[in-house]
Amino acid sequence: MKTNGQLYEQDFYAWVHQQVALLKARQFDALDLDNLIEEVESIARQERHLLWHRLRTLLTHLVAWWGEIPARCIQWECLIATQRHEIQDILDDSPSLAPIALEELAKAWKVVSAQSAAQWFNAAFPAECPWTLTQVLDEHFWPQPETFGPKQKEVRDATVPTLDADHGGVA
């Protein structure tokens, strides 16, 4: 029979079922505690990552909805509503993620604003998310047209070389 560690390395699915059976039988001394602890910690990381992923997706859809003014449609609104519900479900299932949601919103915005700046090159996307967590989760909230103003043009050196008529070139 394989040891817990060997089973963990060779057949994760079988290892999980073995750990569940040991827990149900209250055979705590037989548990693969090191790997079990690692896996339980990874569940928490996955929940946090899922929250970040949903927030990033929601922000991406909100920016897209904002940018597609002539082509706004019920499909965008349905996608946005779905993400809002999914995020709310995560927060309802794990209320301790609520304070972390603000950090994840900020991280998600950094990714979304960089991607959006490449797509809507004439719009200025602020470094900080322009919306609160409450706003992005509010089913009645929609980005306003003025949310992302036009980019400021770079000021360049206005010195223009003069043409030297005698030499047919630049002076």
Side-chain angles (χ1 to χ4, degrees):
M1 180 170 178
K2 294 179 184 175
T3 66
N4 273 331
Q6 288 173 325
L7 189 57
Y8 179 80
E9 295 296 326
Q10 294 174 358
D11 189 343
F12 179 75
Y13 184 77
W15 175 86
V16 168
H17 283 284
Q18 180 188 58
Q19 298 308 298
V20 169
L22 292 169
L23 285 167
K24 286 180 178 179
R26 308 238 185 284
Q27 294 179 354
F28 303 123
D29 290 342
L31 290 170
D32 181 4
L33 285 178
D34 291 337
N35 286 321
L36 193 56
I37 290 166
E38 183 180 318
E39 291 304 322
V40 170
E41 286 176 335
S42 78
I43 292 169
R45 284 191 303 273
Q46 288 172 1
E47 285 298 302
R48 185 174 181 151
H49 180 75
L50 179 61
L51 176 63
W52 172 85
H53 174 74
R54 294 284 183 188
L55 285 166
R56 182 184 56 109
T57 303
L58 174 58
L59 290 173
T60 299
H61 290 325
L62 285 170
V63 170
W65 183 89
W66 165 85
E68 299 293 333
I69 294 169
R72 285 183 185 155
C73 65
I74 194 74
Q75 181 181 5
W76 279 116
E77 293 174 14
C78 288
L79 290 169
I80 290 167
T82 298
Q83 291 306 313
R84 286 175 168 157
H85 291 296
E86 294 290 335
I87 293 166
Q88 197 56 59
D89 285 347
I90 292 169
L91 296 175
D92 289 346
D93 287 346
S94 301
S96 62
L97 281 173
I100 295 168
L102 295 173
E103 292 174 42
E104 297 307 314
L105 180 70
K107 285 193 237 175
W109 178 252
K110 288 188 184 310
V111 172
V112 170
S113 63
Q115 291 172 341
S116 298
Q119 185 170 2
W120 287 283
F121 57 89
N122 287 328
F125 292 94
E128 303 292 320
C129 185
W131 311 303
T132 65
L133 183 62
T134 302
Q135 285 176 310
V136 298
L137 296 178
D138 181 355
E139 66 183 66
H140 300 293
F141 171 77
W142 298 100
Q144 297 303 305
E146 64 276 0
T147 301
F148 309 112
K151 270 189 184 174
Q152 297 295 322
K153 295 193 184 218
E154 291 181 33
V155 178
R156 297 186 184 210
D157 184 2
T159 307
V160 177
T162 58
L163 291 177
D164 183 350
D166 293 336
H167 295 66
V170 178

